[in-house]
């Protein structure tokens, strides 16, 4: 929604969590998957998902008000948006939304985090790592193909996808340039999920996986190109410079780097996506936030990169900066 201009806007912001939690609770309960087989009454659905019938009926009616389910008499079924976007499939946003639910506790402690200047750590529960990595896959699928077309690789080039998560961009480049050698570097926990995703896509033999902490462990190489997508926002400015220096050290002389990020405009009050995402980073990380293109360029310069250039961000604020060693 837009800026607050009156009491109705103010209350819509204040009540916004209610719609979010109705959706997220339904996902957590497995409502949309349970309705994938067709319409049914609340009593039968409650048995499937292990819920109280009366309370589930109230939740289902709210989902109907949101347009996510359809109600005919006493029977409910998935509406088209839920069928298209909340069930497993190429357009699914199920995992990234469950990842947002995993961060609900940190958001609830946001005032304490802002007051203390650090993030109070709650214990990670359930499938948070898998939700996160699969959510990154959902977010990147469409964009990865476009980036692979825009940033050309040559056969024989050695590529590092640093913090590459599910390997979405790595696979897109493997499709676009089968002769390139592509390595995804990430933590062991992340790559356990990545291996599942790569097997599901039949791509497990097309990229190399290298486990470690990219702020401390050897990155391998040398590489001709390093790709760093949506990583810097999770770290403080000083750690970003450290990471960029390490990436530069892993490049051959004249090698190139590209950094993709949610970019704030210079005033840091727009566009809305990066502005609110920056608060999310305050809530869930120790030092992360969104940065402006100028701030990232300054980090790249401090790390020793040259010929730094920035493309115009897309309407969501996602942009790419490029440079050379």
């Amino acid at each position: 929604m837009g800026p607050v201009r009156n009491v109705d806007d103010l209350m819509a912001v204040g009540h916004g969590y209610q719609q979010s939690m109705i959706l997220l609770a339904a996902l957590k309960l497995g409502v949309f998957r349970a309705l994938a087989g067709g319409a049914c009454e609340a009593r039968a659905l409650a048995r499937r998902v292990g819920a109280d019938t009366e309370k589930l009926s109230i939740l289902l009616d709210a989902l109907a008000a949101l347009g996510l389910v359809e109600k005919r008499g006493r029977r409910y079924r998935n509406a088209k948006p839920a069928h298209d976007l909340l069930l497993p499939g190429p357009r699914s946003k199920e995992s990234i939304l469950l990842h947002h639910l995993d961060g609900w506790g940190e958001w609830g402690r946001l005032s304490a985090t802002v007051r203390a200047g650090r993030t109070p750590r709650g214990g990670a529960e359930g499938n948070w790592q898998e939700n996160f990595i699969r959510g990154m896959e959902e977010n990147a699928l469409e964009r990865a193909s476009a980036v692979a077309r825009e940033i050309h690789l040559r056969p024989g080039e050695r590529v590092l996808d640093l913090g590459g998560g599910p390997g979405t961009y790595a696979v897109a480049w493997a499709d676009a340039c089968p002769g390139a050698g592509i390595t995804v570097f990430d933590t062991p926990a992340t790559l356990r999920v990545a291996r599942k995703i790569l097997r599901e896509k039949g791509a497990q033999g097309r990229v190399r996986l290298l486990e470690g902490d990219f702020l401390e462990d050897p990155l391998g190489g040398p590489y001709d190109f390093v790709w760093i997508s949506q990583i810097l926002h999770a770290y403080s400015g000083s750690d970003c410079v450290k990471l960029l220096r390490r990436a530069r050290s892993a490049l051959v002389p004249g090698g190139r780097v590209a950094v993709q990020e949610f970019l704030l405009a210079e005033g840091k009050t727009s566009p809305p996506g990066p502005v609110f995402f920056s608060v999310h980073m305050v809530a869930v990380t120790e030092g992360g936030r969104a940065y402006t293109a100028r701030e990232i360029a300054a980090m790249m310069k401090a790390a020793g990169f040259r010929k730094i250039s920035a493309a115009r961000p897309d309407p969501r604020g996602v942009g790419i900066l490029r440079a050379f060693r």
Side-chain angles (χ1 to χ4, degrees):
M1 64 178 299
V4 172
R5 301 187 188 282
N6 53 47
V7 66
D8 291 333
D9 292 346
L10 177 67
M11 297 312 294
V13 171
H15 292 154
Y17 74 93
Q18 295 174 346
Q19 295 185 34
S20 296
M21 189 49 81
I22 288 165
L23 166 60
L24 297 175
L27 279 170
K28 186 73 171 179
L29 288 166
V31 166
F32 304 108
R33 288 192 179 219
L35 286 173
C40 67
E41 294 187 4
R43 184 180 300 276
L45 187 62
R47 288 196 297 268
R48 293 182 196 175
V49 303
D52 176 86
T53 299
E54 183 177 355
K55 288 181 170 56
L56 181 61
S57 297
I58 294 169
L59 183 68
L60 289 166
D61 289 340
L63 291 168
L66 289 173
L68 292 172
V69 303
E70 295 175 352
K71 185 179 182 181
R72 303 276 180 87
R74 295 183 178 181
R75 294 167 68 83
Y76 299 89
R77 68 177 183 180
N78 285 328
K80 190 174 188 303
H83 181 272
D84 292 347
L85 302 174
L86 298 175
L87 297 177
R91 299 179 61 202
S92 177
K93 297 299 180 185
E94 180 184 42
S95 293
I96 191 61
L97 287 167
L98 287 170
H99 166 60
H100 291 317
L101 178 59
D102 291 336
W104 197 264
E106 282 84 356
W107 273 91
R109 294 187 290 271
L110 180 60
S111 59
T113 297
V114 172
R115 179 175 289 116
R118 58 185 178 83
T119 304
R121 305 311 294 173
E125 299 179 358
N127 296 325
W128 73 271
Q129 184 76 21
E130 185 139 358
N131 289 338
F132 174 55
I133 300 306
R134 289 189 180 274
M136 297 305 98
E137 165 86 352
E138 291 171 359
N139 276 354
L141 268 175
E142 184 175 346
R143 185 166 177 83
S145 297
V147 168
R149 290 191 299 269
E150 179 184 345
I151 300 178
H152 299 286
L153 302 181
R154 294 182 294 273
E157 282 198 308
R158 297 154 296 179
V159 178
L160 175 62
D161 186 352
L162 187 57
T168 316
Y169 287 93
V171 171
W173 269 306
D175 288 339
C177 186
I182 303 171
T183 298
V184 175
F185 188 104
D186 219 314
T187 65
T190 293
L191 293 185
R192 278 196 293 272
V193 182
R195 288 186 180 93
K196 291 184 188 178
I197 295 171
L198 292 171
R199 281 196 299 271
E200 291 164 7
K201 296 164 71 170
Q204 62 268 38
R206 305 179 62 200
V207 299
R208 176 174 174 253
L209 303 181
L210 185 59
E211 296 181 353
D213 177 344
F214 50 52
L215 286 173
E216 302 296 338
D217 296 325
L219 302 181
Y223 302 100
D224 301 288
F225 173 57
V226 175
W227 171 247
I228 306 174
S229 177
Q230 306 296 12
I231 299 297
L232 299 188
H233 61 241
Y235 295 92
S236 66
S238 59
D239 278 343
C240 289
V241 173
K242 179 181 178 180
L243 176 60
L244 289 165
R245 282 179 178 147
R246 302 193 86 236
R248 183 179 180 276
S249 296
L251 281 167
V252 299
R256 61 201 194 279
V257 67
V259 174
Q260 178 172 256
E261 272 297 338
F262 297 114
L263 296 175
L264 291 166
E266 286 305 314
K268 298 185 180 179
T269 61
S270 65
V275 170
F276 300 141
F277 180 75
S278 196
V279 182
H280 179 63
M281 288 296 99
V282 169
V284 303
T285 70
E286 285 297 331
R289 65 174 178 87
Y291 296 100
T292 67
R294 185 175 296 177
E295 286 175 320
I296 293 178
M299 294 172 190
M300 297 173 84
K301 184 177 180 180
F305 285 104
R306 59 189 180 85
K307 296 183 180 178
I308 301 166
S309 62
R312 181 185 296 275
D314 70 14
R316 298 186 304 125
V318 179
I320 297 175
L321 290 87
R322 306 193 206 192
F324 293 84
R325 175 174 176 177

